[in-house]
Amino acid sequence: MIASLPLALTFPDISPDMFTIPVIGFAVKWYAMAYIAGILGGWMMGRWLVSRPALWPRDTAPMTRDQVEDVMTWVVLGIVLGGRIGYVLFYQPGLLLQDPLEILNLRGGGMSFHGGAIGTGLGVGIYAWRKGISVPAIVDIAALCAPLGLGLGRVANFINAELWGRPSDAPWAVIFPGGAAQACANVGELCARHPSQLYEAILEGLVLLVLLWIVALRGGLKTPGLIFGLFLIGYGAARTFVEYFRQADAQYITPDNPLGHVVGGSDIGLTMGQLLSLPMVVAGVVVLLVALRFRRA
């Protein structure tokens, strides 16, 4: 029970609109700019990586700078379509029966990282296959670029006051605005919550980005698939951990299941985020072992 919140933080007065274009009155959203910045940053990182042949096996980059630009089209399609389709399949499957076209309603909100990751993987895999590029190498590049977009996206989630955490009396807990955020049981006048979006921005974004680049710059790219395997393990572990502090999706929460577990009981179980992330850890371990085995062969 949270009796009082003497040290809780008030949510900062930040508009979801980054700025508005005069005359036409078009509002540019922080969330949209996070996607754009992540994609542009990934493009710049990819071009930098393939411009350093010494980082790669036999001192030869797997693709050219122009090919990095070409593959970005597949990345964008994978993120947008995969993210939206994944959200509907994983979190709102009932929409497929009610209104199948809703899956294409990008303005309606709702994107899934796991769906976006699958979509991006398929996109770059198809491109690599068509162009004769090493698939492990191209997914290594994607893995090095992904944490930037992940971190920026989570910061945008915080600015939008969405995907907040569970109620908390920690001194850094935040009093998020809105009726849904304030609908907490057994609290006083105000309800503070874990800023789980920022936890994810730090772990899945900043920490993972720094660690992967340290490995890459110290010879990790000379073992194709190594960086990708580490990314899967790192993201899956970080997301699984943060889910203990993140509020589950509303459709999974019931009076008998307040933590929103989709597997297990009401007290001990797995949320949908954990159910989707744990297989990533297992897959990452398999990819890592295969990569190391081929390096020694």
Side-chain angles (χ1 to χ4, degrees), residues 52-267:
R52 269 82 181 160
L55 294 174
W56 301 93
R58 297 181 294 279
D59 294 333
T60 303
M63 57 195 301
T64 66
R65 289 160 65 99
D66 289 341
Q67 287 176 321
V68 171
E69 295 180 3
D70 292 342
V71 79
M72 290 308 296
T73 301
W74 293 86
V75 170
V76 173
L77 289 174
I79 292 173
V80 176
L81 295 180
R84 180 58 185 168
I85 294 172
Y87 175 79
V88 173
L89 291 178
F90 300 146
Y91 297 98
Q92 297 284 346
L95 289 178
L96 294 177
L97 297 178
Q98 298 174 12
D99 184 4
L101 293 180
E102 184 65 20
I103 200 170
L104 301 177
N105 182 17
L106 299 179
R107 295 179 60 87
M111 297 285 283
S112 163
F113 163 78
H114 298 90
I118 294 172
T120 301
L122 290 174
V124 299
I126 292 172
Y127 179 84
W129 174 70
R130 292 180 59 187
K131 298 296 182 179
I133 299 172
S134 167
V135 173
I138 199 171
V139 294
D140 280 344
I141 294 175
L144 285 168
C145 301
L148 174 63
L150 287 171
L152 293 175
R154 294 311 182 191
V155 172
N157 289 146
F158 179 81
I159 293 174
N160 287 347
E162 61 188 4
L163 303 182
W164 15 256
R166 297 174 182 176
S168 170
D169 57 1
W172 58 85
V174 176
I175 302 172
F176 288 96
Q182 289 300 308
C184 306
N186 301 321
V187 300
E189 182 179 352
L190 295 174
C191 173
R193 295 177 176 273
H194 284 286
S196 57
Q197 315 98 320
L198 300 184
Y199 300 171
E200 292 186 84
I202 293 171
L203 292 177
E204 302 165 10
L206 180 61
V207 172
L208 191 56
L209 181 71
V210 171
L211 292 178
L212 291 180
W213 274 83
I214 289 175
V215 175
L217 295 178
R218 293 190 175 187
L221 288 171
K222 290 186 178 292
T223 303
L226 176 69
I227 299 297
F228 181 59
L230 291 175
F231 169 79
L232 291 176
I233 295 171
Y235 177 85
R239 177 65 183 272
T240 299
F241 172 73
V242 174
E243 283 287 316
Y244 287 110
F245 305 95
R246 177 173 166 172
Q247 182 80 357
D249 293 88
Q251 64 268 32
Y252 300 121
I253 298 176
T254 65
D256 296 330
N257 184 24
L259 298 181
H261 292 149
V262 296
V263 174
S266 60
D267 296 324

